[in-house]
């Protein structure tokens, strides 16, 4: 969707979670569709509702995994760690099977019309996420389209079926190693990030998060942290 972040209109990625029983919907924005983005976005929603669903059905494997030719999905290491941390079972719908994901597809359309029009504005992605979650809370006061009771009342029943939120949140970070080149750079995907020329030809640890790239020396001491670039 389109949003104005710090005065500049840009495309943002919106993660939508729908609870089919109550029809409660929640949305946050992320800078991309990587596993780190999906995990950090889900953590925001879990902490906002103070509960963790026991199972999540994904409408596709984007970000958290890769679908093989035989239809099975191999998930990323960071998502497996996330799933284990929160005790969640993950299920992936089949391609071209709209009947398996009607609730969330309806939620995407509904939230696009109600939250993203007119184009929302915020100082940061995190600020926009907070604003969207507050507006989602307001939608809980609406009456369920079929059950004729407030969505909030039904959502309380949903939450009773959820797990308790862990005391410590999950740090959605993929750790890798890189060799610093002769001018002090490392490559993450197609983007160069400056480490330091003092570390030329040395191995460094790289923490890849949704919004940042953290570079540590071989002893685990932080060298620098950059904003993650999405091209």
């Amino acid at each position: 969707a389109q949003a104005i972040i710090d005065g500049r209109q840009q495309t943002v990625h919106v993660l939508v979670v729908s609870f089919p029983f109550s029809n409660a919907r929640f949305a946050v924005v992320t800078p991309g569709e990587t596993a780190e983005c999906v995990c950090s976005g889900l953590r925001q929603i879990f902490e906002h509702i103070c509960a963790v669903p026991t199972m999540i059905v994904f409408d596709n494997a984007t970000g958290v995994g890769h679908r093989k030719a035989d239809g099975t999905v191999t998930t990323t290491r960071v998502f497996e760690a996330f799933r284990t941390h929160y005790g969640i079972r993950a299920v992936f719908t089949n391609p071209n099977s709209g009947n398996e994901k009607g609730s969330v597809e309806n939620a995407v359309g509904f939230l696009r019309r109600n939250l993203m029009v007119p184009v929302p504005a915020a100082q940061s992605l995190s600020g926009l996420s907070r604003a969207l979650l507050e507006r989602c809370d307001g939608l809980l006061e609406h009456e369920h389209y079929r059950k004729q009771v407030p969505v909030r009342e039904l959502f309380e029943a949903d939450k009773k079926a959820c797990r308790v939120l862990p005391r410590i949140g999950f740090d959605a970070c993929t750790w890798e190693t890189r060799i610093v080149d002769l001018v002090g750079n490392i490559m993450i995907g197609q983007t160069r990030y400056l480490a330091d020329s003092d570390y030329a030809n040395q191995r460094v640890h790289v923490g890849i998060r949704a919004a940042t790239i953290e570079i540590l020396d071989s002893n685990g001491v932080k060298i620098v942290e950059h904003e993650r670039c999405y091209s």
Side-chain angles (χ1 to χ4, degrees):
Q2 291 296 302
I4 299 172
I5 305 299
D6 196 21
R8 182 171 65 89
Q9 184 163 329
Q10 62 188 73
T11 299
V12 296
H13 301 261
V14 185
L15 175 66
V16 175
V17 172
S18 170
F19 289 80
F21 171 74
S22 64
N23 209 34
R25 295 98 175 257
F26 298 93
V28 293
V29 293
T30 66
E33 295 186 13
T34 64
E36 297 82 21
C37 290
V38 175
C39 292
S40 62
L42 288 173
R43 174 183 171 178
Q44 288 179 72
I45 293 174
F46 295 168
E47 293 180 352
H48 180 73
I49 66 174
C50 296
V52 178
T54 58
M55 181 176 73
I56 299 180
V57 180
F58 287 87
D59 71 341
N60 56 56
T62 300
V64 299
H66 307 282
R67 191 178 296 277
K68 299 179 181 178
D70 62 3
T72 59
V73 174
T74 300
T75 53
T76 63
R77 287 181 299 166
V78 69
F79 178 71
E80 278 303 299
F82 172 88
R83 190 184 61 78
T84 300
H85 181 86
Y86 289 105
I88 297 169
R89 179 186 172 209
V91 177
F92 298 87
T93 60
N94 295 306
N96 304 315
S97 299
N99 60 300
E100 297 180 357
K101 51 187 177 180
S103 175
V104 75
E105 287 195 339
N106 289 335
V108 167
F110 177 83
L111 294 181
R112 182 183 296 278
R113 294 188 299 271
N114 285 271
L115 302 187
M116 308 307 292
V117 179
V119 176
Q123 288 298 112
S124 63
L125 288 179
S126 59
L128 180 55
S129 287
R130 289 192 297 270
L132 292 181
L133 289 172
E134 288 177 4
R135 294 186 64 184
C136 287
D137 286 343
L139 295 173
L140 295 177
E141 305 306 328
H142 290 192
E143 188 175 89
H144 191 278
Y145 68 97
R146 189 178 66 248
K147 299 174 183 176
Q148 298 181 335
V149 295
V151 170
R152 182 180 297 280
E153 183 178 317
L154 297 170
F155 185 53
E156 288 304 315
D158 267 332
K159 289 174 65 174
K160 288 179 181 178
C162 289
R163 296 182 183 277
V164 175
L165 188 70
R167 184 173 60 85
I168 298 175
F170 181 78
D171 180 17
C173 181
T174 298
W175 285 99
E176 298 180 356
T177 59
R178 291 290 191 278
I179 300 295
V180 181
D181 66 19
L182 293 176
V183 293
N185 295 320
I186 61 170
M187 289 290 295
I188 304 294
Q190 302 301 313
T191 304
R192 283 189 176 84
Y193 294 92
L194 177 65
D196 192 312
S197 57
D198 290 344
Y199 295 89
N201 288 325
Q202 295 185 38
R203 188 179 299 274
V204 294
H205 304 290
V206 182
I208 304 171
R209 295 182 174 84
T212 61
I213 299 294
E214 183 180 13
I215 305 174
L216 312 180
D217 68 15
S218 58
N219 295 316
V221 177
K222 184 175 179 177
I223 300 172
V224 67
E225 186 172 38
H226 298 287
E227 180 179 348
R228 185 173 179 179
C229 178
Y230 289 85
S231 56

